[in-house]
Amino acid sequence: MIDKKEARLRRARATRVRIALAKVSRLTVNRTNSHIYAQIITSGGEKVLAAASTAEKEVRAQLKNGANRKAAEVVGARIAAKAKQAGIETVAFDRAGYRYHGRVKALAEAARAGGLKF
């Protein structure tokens, strides 16, 4: 019997295989009950090029709660700005097996609005 976490990780593995074949940097998302994190990782997966999360001091100062859609939008805009600063325009969106819904969707749309293409 597969539990919820195992099923999510299985879905994530399948997505990451397709992204690896595309040979493009990936924007990966991780969410917990209290925070949301975003990282842009090289196509080989060996180096983190940019990262943003609600655990960062500057983000925590402007948000009351780090686990809602508003927080995800802030992180999405922040990761897009950091990616532009690092010279990254195109990424593949790796939702890590999470449904494209709620906080994950809010982060993706904010990153797109910030200028990232995926």
Side-chain angles (χ1 to χ4, degrees), residues 4 15 21-22 25 28 31 33 35 45-46 48-50 68 71 74 79 81 86 88 90-91 101 112 116:
K4 196 173 181 179
T15 304
L21 292 173
S25 298
T28 187
R31 52 172 209 167
N33 286 336
H35 293 288
E46 60 274 339
V48 174
L49 303 171
N68 58 18
V74 170
I79 194 73
I88 302 162
T90 309
V91 294
H101 174 306
R112 275 194 192 102
L116 275 180

PDB file of all heavy atoms in Angstrom, residues 4 15 21-22 25 28 31 33 35 45-46 48-50 68 71 74 79 81 86 88 90-91 101 112 116:
ATOM      1  N   LYS A   4       0.402   8.611   1.115  1.00  0.00           N
ATOM      2  CA  LYS A   4       0.256   9.871   0.396  1.00  0.00           C
ATOM      3  C   LYS A   4       1.610  10.454  -0.042  1.00  0.00           C
ATOM      4  O   LYS A   4       1.769  10.896  -1.181  1.00  0.00           O
ATOM      5  CB  LYS A   4      -0.475  10.849   1.310  1.00  0.00           C
ATOM      6  CG  LYS A   4      -1.035  12.054   0.647  1.00  0.00           C
ATOM      7  CD  LYS A   4      -1.863  12.842   1.644  1.00  0.00           C
ATOM      8  CE  LYS A   4      -2.462  14.059   1.017  1.00  0.00           C
ATOM      9  NZ  LYS A   4      -3.271  14.815   1.958  1.00  0.00           N
ATOM     10  N   THR A  15       7.996  13.333 -13.337  1.00  0.00           N
ATOM     11  CA  THR A  15       8.132  14.685 -13.887  1.00  0.00           C
ATOM     12  C   THR A  15       9.601  15.055 -14.056  1.00  0.00           C
ATOM     13  O   THR A  15       9.993  15.613 -15.075  1.00  0.00           O
ATOM     14  CB  THR A  15       7.450  15.709 -12.959  1.00  0.00           C
ATOM     15  OG1 THR A  15       6.102  15.319 -12.779  1.00  0.00           O
ATOM     16  CG2 THR A  15       7.500  17.098 -13.536  1.00  0.00           C
ATOM     17  N   LEU A  21      15.349  15.229 -19.479  1.00  0.00           N
ATOM     18  CA  LEU A  21      15.511  15.004 -20.914  1.00  0.00           C
ATOM     19  C   LEU A  21      15.472  16.317 -21.691  1.00  0.00           C
ATOM     20  O   LEU A  21      16.095  16.439 -22.738  1.00  0.00           O
ATOM     21  CB  LEU A  21      14.416  14.058 -21.428  1.00  0.00           C
ATOM     22  CG  LEU A  21      14.500  12.623 -20.922  1.00  0.00           C
ATOM     23  CD1 LEU A  21      13.281  11.835 -21.364  1.00  0.00           C
ATOM     24  CD2 LEU A  21      15.777  11.952 -21.403  1.00  0.00           C
ATOM     25  N   ALA A  22      14.751  17.303 -21.173  1.00  0.00           N
ATOM     26  CA  ALA A  22      14.649  18.604 -21.831  1.00  0.00           C
ATOM     27  C   ALA A  22      15.919  19.438 -21.658  1.00  0.00           C
ATOM     28  O   ALA A  22      16.114  20.422 -22.369  1.00  0.00           O
ATOM     29  CB  ALA A  22      13.453  19.372 -21.292  1.00  0.00           C
ATOM     30  N   SER A  25      16.987  24.303 -16.940  1.00  0.00           N
ATOM     31  CA  SER A  25      16.926  24.531 -15.500  1.00  0.00           C
ATOM     32  C   SER A  25      15.503  24.339 -15.018  1.00  0.00           C
ATOM     33  O   SER A  25      14.557  24.608 -15.747  1.00  0.00           O
ATOM     34  CB  SER A  25      17.382  25.949 -15.160  1.00  0.00           C
ATOM     35  OG  SER A  25      18.711  26.130 -15.551  1.00  0.00           O
ATOM     36  N   THR A  28      11.738  24.348  -8.891  1.00  0.00           N
ATOM     37  CA  THR A  28      11.102  23.340  -8.053  1.00  0.00           C
ATOM     38  C   THR A  28      10.467  23.986  -6.831  1.00  0.00           C
ATOM     39  O   THR A  28      10.962  24.983  -6.323  1.00  0.00           O
ATOM     40  CB  THR A  28      12.097  22.231  -7.660  1.00  0.00           C
ATOM     41  OG1 THR A  28      11.405  21.199  -6.976  1.00  0.00           O
ATOM     42  CG2 THR A  28      13.208  22.751  -6.782  1.00  0.00           C
ATOM     43  N   ARG A  31       6.439  22.653  -0.332  1.00  0.00           N
ATOM     44  CA  ARG A  31       5.575  23.352   0.612  1.00  0.00           C
ATOM     45  C   ARG A  31       5.436  22.526   1.879  1.00  0.00           C
ATOM     46  O   ARG A  31       5.440  21.297   1.847  1.00  0.00           O
ATOM     47  CB  ARG A  31       4.214  23.662   0.003  1.00  0.00           C
ATOM     48  CG  ARG A  31       3.566  22.470  -0.585  1.00  0.00           C
ATOM     49  CD  ARG A  31       2.172  22.649  -1.029  1.00  0.00           C
ATOM     50  NE  ARG A  31       1.629  21.302  -0.859  1.00  0.00           N
ATOM     51  CZ  ARG A  31       0.381  20.965  -0.896  1.00  0.00           C
ATOM     52  NH1 ARG A  31      -0.527  21.858  -1.104  1.00  0.00           N
ATOM     53  NH2 ARG A  31       0.012  19.734  -0.729  1.00  0.00           N
ATOM     54  N   ASN A  33       3.515  22.874   6.050  1.00  0.00           N
ATOM     55  CA  ASN A  33       2.342  23.482   6.674  1.00  0.00           C
ATOM     56  C   ASN A  33       2.568  24.941   7.042  1.00  0.00           C
ATOM     57  O   ASN A  33       1.617  25.698   7.164  1.00  0.00           O
ATOM     58  CB  ASN A  33       1.939  22.698   7.926  1.00  0.00           C
ATOM     59  CG  ASN A  33       1.285  21.385   7.571  1.00  0.00           C
ATOM     60  OD1 ASN A  33       0.741  21.237   6.477  1.00  0.00           O
ATOM     61  ND2 ASN A  33       1.343  20.431   8.467  1.00  0.00           N
ATOM     62  N   HIS A  35       5.426  26.976   5.598  1.00  0.00           N
ATOM     63  CA  HIS A  35       6.227  27.749   4.638  1.00  0.00           C
ATOM     64  C   HIS A  35       6.080  27.199   3.230  1.00  0.00           C
ATOM     65  O   HIS A  35       5.603  26.083   3.035  1.00  0.00           O
ATOM     66  CB  HIS A  35       7.717  27.728   5.016  1.00  0.00           C
ATOM     67  CG  HIS A  35       8.031  28.450   6.275  1.00  0.00           C
ATOM     68  ND1 HIS A  35       8.008  29.813   6.382  1.00  0.00           N
ATOM     69  CD2 HIS A  35       8.352  27.987   7.508  1.00  0.00           C
ATOM     70  CE1 HIS A  35       8.316  30.173   7.626  1.00  0.00           C
ATOM     71  NE2 HIS A  35       8.518  29.075   8.325  1.00  0.00           N
ATOM     72  N   GLY A  45      21.005  19.095 -12.045  1.00  0.00           N
ATOM     73  CA  GLY A  45      20.598  18.975 -10.655  1.00  0.00           C
ATOM     74  C   GLY A  45      21.738  19.125  -9.662  1.00  0.00           C
ATOM     75  O   GLY A  45      21.577  18.840  -8.480  1.00  0.00           O
ATOM     76  N   GLU A  46      22.891  19.600 -10.132  1.00  0.00           N
ATOM     77  CA  GLU A  46      24.040  19.677  -9.233  1.00  0.00           C
ATOM     78  C   GLU A  46      24.201  21.010  -8.504  1.00  0.00           C
ATOM     79  O   GLU A  46      24.937  21.100  -7.542  1.00  0.00           O
ATOM     80  CB  GLU A  46      25.338  19.329  -9.971  1.00  0.00           C
ATOM     81  CG  GLU A  46      25.704  20.211 -11.140  1.00  0.00           C
ATOM     82  CD  GLU A  46      25.067  19.798 -12.461  1.00  0.00           C
ATOM     83  OE1 GLU A  46      24.651  18.645 -12.604  1.00  0.00           O
ATOM     84  OE2 GLU A  46      24.982  20.664 -13.342  1.00  0.00           O
ATOM     85  N   VAL A  48      22.211  24.848  -7.136  1.00  0.00           N
ATOM     86  CA  VAL A  48      21.063  25.737  -6.973  1.00  0.00           C
ATOM     87  C   VAL A  48      21.478  27.118  -7.467  1.00  0.00           C
ATOM     88  O   VAL A  48      22.452  27.696  -6.999  1.00  0.00           O
ATOM     89  CB  VAL A  48      20.617  25.810  -5.491  1.00  0.00           C
ATOM     90  CG1 VAL A  48      19.515  26.835  -5.309  1.00  0.00           C
ATOM     91  CG2 VAL A  48      20.167  24.445  -5.007  1.00  0.00           C
ATOM     92  N   LEU A  49      20.735  27.649  -8.442  1.00  0.00           N
ATOM     93  CA  LEU A  49      21.072  28.941  -9.041  1.00  0.00           C
ATOM     94  C   LEU A  49      20.388  30.111  -8.341  1.00  0.00           C
ATOM     95  O   LEU A  49      20.931  31.205  -8.280  1.00  0.00           O
ATOM     96  CB  LEU A  49      20.693  28.936 -10.523  1.00  0.00           C
ATOM     97  CG  LEU A  49      21.334  27.819 -11.353  1.00  0.00           C
ATOM     98  CD1 LEU A  49      20.724  27.786 -12.747  1.00  0.00           C
ATOM     99  CD2 LEU A  49      22.828  28.005 -11.432  1.00  0.00           C
ATOM    100  N   ALA A  50      19.187  29.877  -7.816  1.00  0.00           N
ATOM    101  CA  ALA A  50      18.439  30.921  -7.111  1.00  0.00           C
ATOM    102  C   ALA A  50      17.448  30.244  -6.169  1.00  0.00           C
ATOM    103  O   ALA A  50      16.962  29.152  -6.460  1.00  0.00           O
ATOM    104  CB  ALA A  50      17.702  31.810  -8.092  1.00  0.00           C
ATOM    105  N   ASN A  68       0.063  30.695   3.017  1.00  0.00           N
ATOM    106  CA  ASN A  68      -1.169  30.959   2.283  1.00  0.00           C
ATOM    107  C   ASN A  68      -0.840  31.408   0.867  1.00  0.00           C
ATOM    108  O   ASN A  68       0.325  31.531   0.490  1.00  0.00           O
ATOM    109  CB  ASN A  68      -2.047  31.983   3.024  1.00  0.00           C
ATOM    110  CG  ASN A  68      -1.344  33.298   3.268  1.00  0.00           C
ATOM    111  OD1 ASN A  68      -0.347  33.609   2.626  1.00  0.00           O
ATOM    112  ND2 ASN A  68      -1.858  34.071   4.195  1.00  0.00           N
ATOM    113  N   ALA A  71       1.376  34.536   0.454  1.00  0.00           N
ATOM    114  CA  ALA A  71       2.789  34.246   0.695  1.00  0.00           C
ATOM    115  C   ALA A  71       3.411  33.573  -0.529  1.00  0.00           C
ATOM    116  O   ALA A  71       4.544  33.887  -0.917  1.00  0.00           O
ATOM    117  CB  ALA A  71       2.940  33.359   1.924  1.00  0.00           C
ATOM    118  N   VAL A  74       4.198  36.145  -3.164  1.00  0.00           N
ATOM    119  CA  VAL A  74       5.399  36.911  -2.823  1.00  0.00           C
ATOM    120  C   VAL A  74       6.648  36.117  -3.181  1.00  0.00           C
ATOM    121  O   VAL A  74       7.589  36.638  -3.780  1.00  0.00           O
ATOM    122  CB  VAL A  74       5.400  37.298  -1.313  1.00  0.00           C
ATOM    123  CG1 VAL A  74       6.736  37.870  -0.894  1.00  0.00           C
ATOM    124  CG2 VAL A  74       4.276  38.277  -1.022  1.00  0.00           C
ATOM    125  N   ILE A  79      11.352  34.834  -6.578  1.00  0.00           N
ATOM    126  CA  ILE A  79      12.196  33.884  -7.320  1.00  0.00           C
ATOM    127  C   ILE A  79      12.371  34.361  -8.759  1.00  0.00           C
ATOM    128  O   ILE A  79      13.442  34.205  -9.347  1.00  0.00           O
ATOM    129  CB  ILE A  79      11.659  32.428  -7.251  1.00  0.00           C
ATOM    130  CG1 ILE A  79      12.720  31.412  -7.726  1.00  0.00           C
ATOM    131  CG2 ILE A  79      10.405  32.227  -8.061  1.00  0.00           C
ATOM    132  CD1 ILE A  79      13.842  31.189  -6.798  1.00  0.00           C
ATOM    133  N   ALA A  81      12.470  37.514  -9.734  1.00  0.00           N
ATOM    134  CA  ALA A  81      13.440  38.617  -9.681  1.00  0.00           C
ATOM    135  C   ALA A  81      14.860  38.081  -9.525  1.00  0.00           C
ATOM    136  O   ALA A  81      15.787  38.551 -10.191  1.00  0.00           O
ATOM    137  CB  ALA A  81      13.090  39.550  -8.532  1.00  0.00           C
ATOM    138  N   ALA A  86      20.169  36.502 -12.029  1.00  0.00           N
ATOM    139  CA  ALA A  86      21.150  35.468 -12.358  1.00  0.00           C
ATOM    140  C   ALA A  86      21.216  35.198 -13.858  1.00  0.00           C
ATOM    141  O   ALA A  86      21.990  34.361 -14.311  1.00  0.00           O
ATOM    142  CB  ALA A  86      20.802  34.180 -11.616  1.00  0.00           C
ATOM    143  N   ILE A  88      18.607  34.108 -15.846  1.00  0.00           N
ATOM    144  CA  ILE A  88      17.783  32.961 -16.225  1.00  0.00           C
ATOM    145  C   ILE A  88      16.418  33.472 -16.686  1.00  0.00           C
ATOM    146  O   ILE A  88      15.781  34.245 -15.979  1.00  0.00           O
ATOM    147  CB  ILE A  88      17.605  31.994 -15.033  1.00  0.00           C
ATOM    148  CG1 ILE A  88      18.967  31.519 -14.536  1.00  0.00           C
ATOM    149  CG2 ILE A  88      16.728  30.814 -15.414  1.00  0.00           C
ATOM    150  CD1 ILE A  88      18.921  30.935 -13.152  1.00  0.00           C
ATOM    151  N   THR A  90      14.240  31.121 -18.941  1.00  0.00           N
ATOM    152  CA  THR A  90      13.385  29.967 -19.203  1.00  0.00           C
ATOM    153  C   THR A  90      13.691  28.843 -18.224  1.00  0.00           C
ATOM    154  O   THR A  90      14.849  28.492 -18.025  1.00  0.00           O
ATOM    155  CB  THR A  90      13.602  29.459 -20.648  1.00  0.00           C
ATOM    156  OG1 THR A  90      13.470  30.570 -21.533  1.00  0.00           O
ATOM    157  CG2 THR A  90      12.595  28.401 -21.010  1.00  0.00           C
ATOM    158  N   VAL A  91      12.646  28.297 -17.632  1.00  0.00           N
ATOM    159  CA  VAL A  91      12.780  27.169 -16.707  1.00  0.00           C
ATOM    160  C   VAL A  91      11.657  26.162 -16.973  1.00  0.00           C
ATOM    161  O   VAL A  91      10.684  26.474 -17.647  1.00  0.00           O
ATOM    162  CB  VAL A  91      12.702  27.620 -15.226  1.00  0.00           C
ATOM    163  CG1 VAL A  91      13.869  28.486 -14.839  1.00  0.00           C
ATOM    164  CG2 VAL A  91      11.392  28.321 -14.931  1.00  0.00           C
ATOM    165  N   HIS A 101      -2.501  23.668  -7.942  1.00  0.00           N
ATOM    166  CA  HIS A 101      -3.709  24.164  -7.315  1.00  0.00           C
ATOM    167  C   HIS A 101      -3.291  24.960  -6.081  1.00  0.00           C
ATOM    168  O   HIS A 101      -2.279  24.664  -5.471  1.00  0.00           O
ATOM    169  CB  HIS A 101      -4.529  22.929  -6.922  1.00  0.00           C
ATOM    170  CG  HIS A 101      -5.764  23.201  -6.139  1.00  0.00           C
ATOM    171  ND1 HIS A 101      -5.775  23.921  -4.989  1.00  0.00           N
ATOM    172  CD2 HIS A 101      -7.041  22.828  -6.326  1.00  0.00           C
ATOM    173  CE1 HIS A 101      -6.999  23.987  -4.511  1.00  0.00           C
ATOM    174  NE2 HIS A 101      -7.791  23.317  -5.318  1.00  0.00           N
ATOM    175  N   ARG A 112       5.512  33.656 -13.371  1.00  0.00           N
ATOM    176  CA  ARG A 112       5.264  34.002 -14.781  1.00  0.00           C
ATOM    177  C   ARG A 112       5.078  35.509 -14.943  1.00  0.00           C
ATOM    178  O   ARG A 112       5.611  36.119 -15.865  1.00  0.00           O
ATOM    179  CB  ARG A 112       4.022  33.291 -15.301  1.00  0.00           C
ATOM    180  CG  ARG A 112       4.282  31.902 -15.786  1.00  0.00           C
ATOM    181  CD  ARG A 112       3.109  31.381 -16.601  1.00  0.00           C
ATOM    182  NE  ARG A 112       3.271  29.956 -16.803  1.00  0.00           N
ATOM    183  CZ  ARG A 112       2.615  29.016 -16.119  1.00  0.00           C
ATOM    184  NH1 ARG A 112       1.734  29.352 -15.204  1.00  0.00           N
ATOM    185  NH2 ARG A 112       2.826  27.748 -16.372  1.00  0.00           N
ATOM    186  N   LEU A 116       9.411  35.046 -15.743  1.00  0.00           N
ATOM    187  CA  LEU A 116       9.937  33.719 -16.040  1.00  0.00           C
ATOM    188  C   LEU A 116       9.067  33.043 -17.094  1.00  0.00           C
ATOM    189  O   LEU A 116       7.844  33.177 -17.056  1.00  0.00           O
ATOM    190  CB  LEU A 116       9.970  32.838 -14.784  1.00  0.00           C
ATOM    191  CG  LEU A 116      11.176  32.952 -13.878  1.00  0.00           C
ATOM    192  CD1 LEU A 116      11.031  32.008 -12.704  1.00  0.00           C
ATOM    193  CD2 LEU A 116      12.458  32.655 -14.619  1.00  0.00           C
TER     194      LEU A 116
END
